Amino acid sequence: MAILYSKNPYVRYIRRKPWALIGPLAFLLVLYLLLSSSSSPSSSGTNGSKKYSYSKKSRGWFAKNRDSVVLKNLPKNHISHYDLNELTTSSDALAKREEVLILTPMSKFLPQYWENLNKINYDHSLISLGFIIPRNEDGDATLKKLEAAVKKVQSSDAKTKFKKVTILRQDSNSLESQAEKDRHALKVQKERRSMMALARNSLVFTTIAPSTSWVLWLDADIVETPPTLIQDLALHSKPILSCNVYQRYVDESTGQDSIRPYDFNNWVESEEGLKIAAGLSEDDIIVEGYAEMATYRPLMAHFYDANGDKNTEMALDGVGGGAVLVKADVHRDGAMFPSFPFYHLIETEGFAKMAKRLGYEVFGLPNYLVYHYNE
Amino acid sequence: MAILYSKNPYVRYIRRKPWALIGPLAFLLVLYLLLSSSSSPSSSGTNGSKKYSYSKKSRGWFAKNRDSVVLKNLPKNHISHYDLNELTTSSDALAKREEVLILTPMSKFLPQYWENLNKINYDHSLISLGFIIPRNEDGDATLKKLEAAVKKVQSSDAKTKFKKVTILRQDSNSLESQAEKDRHALKVQKERRSMMALARNSLVFTTIAPSTSWVLWLDADIVETPPTLIQDLALHSKPILSCNVYQRYVDESTGQDSIRPYDFNNWVESEEGLKIAAGLSEDDIIVEGYAEMATYRPLMAHFYDANGDKNTEMALDGVGGGAVLVKADVHRDGAMFPSFPFYHLIETEGFAKMAKRLGYEVFGLPNYLVYHYNE
């Protein structure tokens, strides 16, 4: 006998959301390209040998709790044998040899993305890569290219190869069929981003390791960043820190190379935004860039100052996913990318809100530019 | 120049919640007791050798998407060499050799819990264990005992040892100091459960592997379950399925051994519950068992029928954490344990609500009893 309570208003409510029902991701394919992190301490700076040193002088987040009684209590043979980790997230991440997980949902393989990624000069033996690829024909082609590229790098010498590469395959059939049914931009946007949120969650929660200090979200269409991206962002030691995503283009009027703002998801909440939210029904979302929903939110994209200090910080309420460094503990505490409206926000913007609900602060660097692909 | 928007109401809002600010978990200690899953296919049933077979007849969740073009496209040398996984969560989990991750937040080590855990007769080479232990003196003692117990089991023969054991150490100093400040039961309950939520999130998101099909949440004070617990629950193939937690005791009036309901967090939402929620401010929560907040929610604990079918299912809106089997994809999609009020619910109850927001259904087995420790 199954007792059903169909009067429960929540049950019906959920049934109205087809994308959520079809949405669960199928992990059809998990490739582990595990390569021993035989780290010649090469590019690891002067403290390269201190990987498991338990210095009490550490300047990490949880510094005050470092003098561990626990370590003394442990049977010696276990300590010496297994991965024992004092996890820090500090402004001198590289010197402390903190591990970084770079995560990229990838629908299209751009050689420029791959080249730029490989130029990142944080010690590659401390970097793990994770990709999630949609399950459609484009994804098949993408997987082939990514596979070939990964294979080439990982079979090269120790300096360029990464600690570990994980490729996940997403089941995203549902999105395409949804998109065909309804072409209204806002609705499609909501569904696209909901699927993206599920992809991001699966990616981070499947790949995050006990040894991960930082997670760098780097979108597959980010084709240019400073090679010091990780060091530059970690320097600020913020729970969440977002770069300003711009795009290079040729100005047709002048014929000159120029740049323009690209990602408008890095924003500060506004009175108008809150007013709009207050008037929405539970399942509505606010998305930036639609005239019918003018939030007048200050957008980080517009705060870029070419002559300004690259380290200028700006408190944010919403972030995009272009290039964002996150302390792994923020995700471990449960900060995820809502695929359902969370305070009328989804995906990366909902993530920022959830992190704030968990007590974390969110920042951006308006003068620190990374560049989006221009077709 | 740091641009600060202190007028943002959300910022102040968050600052009022000290537990959330102090809350982040310190992973001071990660023990990896990795043991090769040299699986003598012993207790694995007749399909023991089919671990990576790509049968299209599979009855799993994503069956319709199984005929994978992708697999054919992959370079052969990668397929043969690396962990390639077709992840199912099916009613015949053991026959399909689906991997299970058993997770236990543990403040006290009960030998009865450990004995019962080890009697679980799902193939141990398919089971990984994860523990998180609070960072206080009790936790130190607990860690010692757990360590010793794990060591003993893992150095024994292949039949009883588990695939992998991970022990995390939580930073929970904050809870104790909070608890001292304010002894109001409801407030303490909220803080205790918020900390527990953070612990659960860290535990699941650090230990879940690409190969994990199921997550079994088993509280450290559950001392008696059927040894077929995993098979029995997986049989239902539900996204979330909760057991009914009872307690053995001696009835003082009769002197007879008896049982009584213990966990009241498995419930169905009620009109009254929704009415109370509607009148609460954003940061208030509803907790079962307080007279000042009578929800009249149907509680699964009261639906137990000693003569009823053990497989009777009951749709639920809230769950407890005693013994709950969850499809790993539910967590991968982002279902976590909110440490902040989520629809006025936190921890396991908030988790059930979040899973429903993600489109999953939640069930319980009122006649399937597991037993809580009785001091």
Side-chain angles (χ1 to χ4, degrees):
Chain A
M1 178 195 66
I3 301 167
L4 289 169
Y5 288 79
S6 58
K7 277 179 208 166
N8 182 332
Y10 286 118
V11 173
R12 257 174 299 142
Y13 177 66
I14 282 152
R15 293 208 173 123
R16 264 184 274 130
K17 306 193 321 167
W19 57 259
L21 282 171
I22 318 164
L25 303 170
F27 287 87
L28 279 196
L29 175 67
V30 176
L31 290 174
Y32 260 122
L33 305 167
L34 242 161
L35 282 135
S36 66
S37 59
S38 58
S39 56
S40 51
S42 53
S43 55
S44 65
T46 49
N47 287 340
S49 59
K50 283 198 185 173
K51 197 168 186 179
Y52 292 119
S53 73
Y54 292 86
S55 156
K56 285 185 190 175
K57 281 176 236 154
S58 154
R59 274 174 290 156
W61 251 22
F62 307 106
K64 60 179 175 209
N65 289 320
R66 284 280 161 68
D67 48 337
S68 176
V69 229
V70 181
L71 295 174
K72 291 178 215 151
N73 285 340
L74 279 171
K76 278 260 161 56
N77 51 345
H78 278 220
I79 292 183
S80 59
H81 213 70
Y82 301 114
D83 186 8
L84 191 77
N85 218 306
E86 186 198 41
L87 209 58
T88 64
T89 47
S90 50
S91 50
D92 52 348
L94 186 53
K96 292 240 176 63
R97 305 204 44 81
E98 293 167 358
E99 289 192 18
V100 181
L101 174 63
I102 302 183
L103 297 180
T104 301
M106 182 179 279
S107 55
K108 207 172 167 183
F109 179 86
L110 294 175
Q112 300 92 325
Y113 159 86
W114 187 252
E115 268 169 49
N116 181 71
L117 175 69
N118 279 277
K119 279 188 204 147
I120 284 182
N121 64 14
Y122 196 86
D123 187 342
H124 285 203
S125 74
L126 296 172
I127 297 177
S128 296
L129 305 178
F131 301 92
I132 189 162
I133 298 177
R135 193 183 156 64
N136 54 26
E137 272 185 43
D138 282 354
D140 294 345
T142 299
L143 181 65
K144 259 190 177 169
K145 289 179 198 163
L146 178 62
E147 260 275 314
V150 165
K151 206 183 154 185
K152 205 170 152 191
V153 168
Q154 294 301 82
S155 45
S156 69
D157 70 291
K159 261 197 177 173
T160 52
K161 75 180 180 190
F162 297 97
K163 186 186 178 193
K164 183 174 168 177
V165 181
T166 307
I167 303 172
L168 302 177
R169 201 70 201 270
Q170 180 194 358
D171 176 5
S172 67
N173 291 345
S174 48
L175 177 60
E176 291 181 308
S177 52
Q178 284 300 314
E180 280 159 33
K181 267 187 237 159
D182 191 324
R183 287 275 163 205
H184 180 256
L186 189 59
K187 196 177 174 197
V188 170
Q189 164 95 328
K190 184 176 168 182
E191 280 158 4
R192 193 188 63 78
R193 295 196 61 190
S194 290
M195 292 306 297
M196 183 59 94
L198 293 173
R200 289 188 191 275
N201 290 335
S202 296
L203 184 54
V204 63
F205 293 137
T206 305
T207 56
I208 202 166
S211 57
T212 310
S213 282
W214 302 91
V215 175
L216 174 67
W217 288 96
L218 188 65
D219 271 356
D221 37 25
I222 300 297
V223 292
E224 186 187 334
T225 69
T228 50
L229 179 66
I230 294 172
Q231 297 91 312
D232 295 347
L233 297 181
L235 182 69
H236 296 261
S237 196
K238 296 293 184 197
I240 299 176
L241 188 65
S242 183
C243 299
N244 211 354
V245 181
Y246 267 58
Q247 187 178 50
R248 295 193 185 279
Y249 74 109
V250 178
D251 189 327
E252 285 187 9
S253 58
T254 63
Q256 298 281 299
D257 287 339
S258 191
I259 59 169
R260 60 190 169 201
Y262 189 88
D263 184 353
F264 301 104
N265 289 331
N266 297 299
W267 46 257
V268 182
E269 192 53 281
S270 64
E271 294 296 326
E272 289 80 0
L274 291 171
K275 257 184 230 163
I276 293 173
L280 292 177
S281 77
E282 188 190 28
D283 255 7
D284 288 335
I285 61 165
I286 300 179
V287 180
E288 277 305 316
Y290 290 87
E292 64 262 45
M293 239 182 217
T295 60
Y296 304 102
R297 287 170 177 161
L299 307 179
M300 185 167 78
H302 300 143
F303 282 71
Y304 170 60
D305 174 1
N307 302 314
D309 180 355
K310 286 204 169 185
N311 287 324
T312 299
E313 297 170 359
M314 176 174 176
L316 296 177
D317 295 295
V319 295
V324 186
L325 189 69
V326 180
K327 294 197 178 191
D329 275 334
V330 176
H331 286 304
R332 284 200 191 92
D333 271 2
M336 47 71 113
F337 300 88
S339 63
F340 52 85
F342 180 73
Y343 291 81
H344 307 290
L345 301 169
I346 57 172
E347 212 228 341
T348 55
E349 295 163 282
F351 162 68
K353 179 63 184 169
M354 193 169 282
K356 297 192 93 174
R357 285 295 275 154
L358 284 161
Y360 291 105
E361 287 187 289
V362 181
F363 290 88
L365 298 179
N367 301 331
Y368 194 91
L369 299 189
V370 300
Y371 294 94
H372 190 276
Y373 184 61
N374 190 354
E375 289 151 85
Chain B
M1 177 197 66
I3 301 167
L4 288 169
Y5 288 79
S6 59
K7 276 181 207 165
N8 183 332
Y10 287 118
V11 174
R12 256 176 299 144
Y13 178 65
I14 283 153
R15 294 210 172 121
R16 263 185 275 128
K17 305 192 322 168
W19 56 260
L21 282 172
I22 318 164
L25 302 170
F27 288 86
L28 279 196
L29 176 65
V30 176
L31 290 174
Y32 260 122
L33 305 168
L34 243 162
L35 281 136
S36 65
S37 61
S38 58
S39 56
S40 52
S42 53
S43 57
S44 65
T46 49
N47 288 339
S49 59
K50 283 198 186 172
K51 197 167 183 182
Y52 293 120
S53 73
Y54 292 85
S55 155
K56 286 186 191 177
K57 282 176 234 153
S58 155
R59 274 174 288 156
W61 251 22
F62 307 106
K64 60 181 173 201
N65 289 320
R66 284 280 162 68
D67 48 338
S68 176
V69 228
V70 182
L71 295 174
K72 290 176 215 152
N73 285 340
L74 279 172
K76 278 262 160 55
N77 51 345
H78 278 219
I79 292 185
S80 60
H81 213 70
Y82 301 115
D83 186 8
L84 191 76
N85 217 309
E86 186 199 40
L87 208 59
T88 64
T89 46
S90 50
S91 50
D92 51 348
L94 186 53
K96 292 237 176 66
R97 303 202 48 78
E98 293 168 359
E99 288 191 19
V100 181
L101 175 62
I102 302 183
L103 297 181
T104 302
M106 182 180 277
S107 56
K108 207 172 168 183
F109 179 87
L110 294 175
Q112 299 93 326
Y113 159 86
W114 187 252
E115 268 169 49
N116 182 71
L117 174 70
N118 279 277
K119 279 188 203 146
I120 284 181
N121 64 16
Y122 196 86
D123 188 341
H124 284 203
S125 73
L126 297 171
I127 297 178
S128 295
L129 305 179
F131 301 92
I132 189 162
I133 297 178
R135 190 179 159 67
N136 54 25
E137 272 186 42
D138 282 356
D140 294 345
T142 299
L143 181 65
K144 259 189 176 171
K145 288 179 197 164
L146 178 62
E147 260 274 314
V150 165
K151 204 183 157 187
K152 203 170 154 191
V153 168
Q154 293 303 82
S155 46
S156 67
D157 70 291
K159 262 196 176 171
T160 52
K161 75 181 180 189
F162 296 97
K163 187 187 177 193
K164 183 174 167 178
V165 181
T166 307
I167 303 172
L168 301 178
R169 200 70 201 271
Q170 181 193 358
D171 177 5
S172 66
N173 291 345
S174 48
L175 176 61
E176 292 182 308
S177 53
Q178 284 299 314
E180 281 158 33
K181 269 188 237 156
D182 191 324
R183 287 276 163 206
H184 180 256
L186 189 59
K187 194 174 175 199
V188 170
Q189 164 95 329
K190 185 175 167 183
E191 280 158 4
R192 192 188 63 78
R193 295 195 61 190
S194 289
M195 291 306 298
M196 183 60 94
L198 293 173
R200 289 189 191 275
N201 290 335
S202 296
L203 184 53
V204 64
F205 294 137
T206 305
T207 55
I208 203 165
S211 58
T212 310
S213 283
W214 301 90
V215 174
L216 174 67
W217 288 97
L218 189 65
D219 271 355
D221 38 25
I222 299 297
V223 292
E224 187 187 333
T225 70
T228 50
L229 178 66
I230 295 172
Q231 298 92 310
D232 294 348
L233 297 182
L235 181 69
H236 295 261
S237 196
K238 297 293 183 198
I240 299 176
L241 188 65
S242 183
C243 300
N244 211 353
V245 180
Y246 267 57
Q247 187 179 48
R248 296 193 185 278
Y249 74 108
V250 177
D251 188 327
E252 283 188 10
S253 59
T254 64
Q256 299 280 301
D257 285 340
S258 190
I259 59 168
R260 60 189 171 201
Y262 189 89
D263 184 353
F264 300 104
N265 288 332
N266 297 299
W267 46 257
V268 182
E269 192 52 281
S270 64
E271 294 297 325
E272 288 80 1
L274 292 172
K275 256 183 232 163
I276 292 173
L280 292 177
S281 77
E282 188 190 29
D283 255 7
D284 288 335
I285 61 165
I286 301 179
V287 180
E288 277 304 317
Y290 290 86
E292 64 262 44
M293 237 182 219
T295 60
Y296 303 103
R297 287 169 177 162
L299 306 179
M300 185 166 79
H302 299 144
F303 281 71
Y304 170 61
D305 174 2
N307 301 314
D309 181 354
K310 286 205 168 185
N311 288 323
T312 300
E313 297 170 359
M314 175 173 175
L316 296 177
D317 295 294
V319 295
V324 186
L325 190 69
V326 180
K327 294 197 178 190
D329 275 334
V330 176
H331 285 304
R332 284 200 191 92
D333 271 2
M336 47 72 116
F337 300 88
S339 62
F340 52 85
F342 180 73
Y343 292 80
H344 308 290
L345 302 169
I346 57 172
E347 213 229 341
T348 55
E349 295 164 281
F351 161 68
K353 178 62 182 169
M354 193 169 282
K356 297 194 95 175
R357 286 294 274 154
L358 285 161
Y360 291 105
E361 288 187 290
V362 181
F363 291 88
L365 299 179
N367 301 329
Y368 194 91
L369 299 189
V370 299
Y371 294 94
H372 189 276
Y373 183 62
N374 190 353
E375 289 152 85

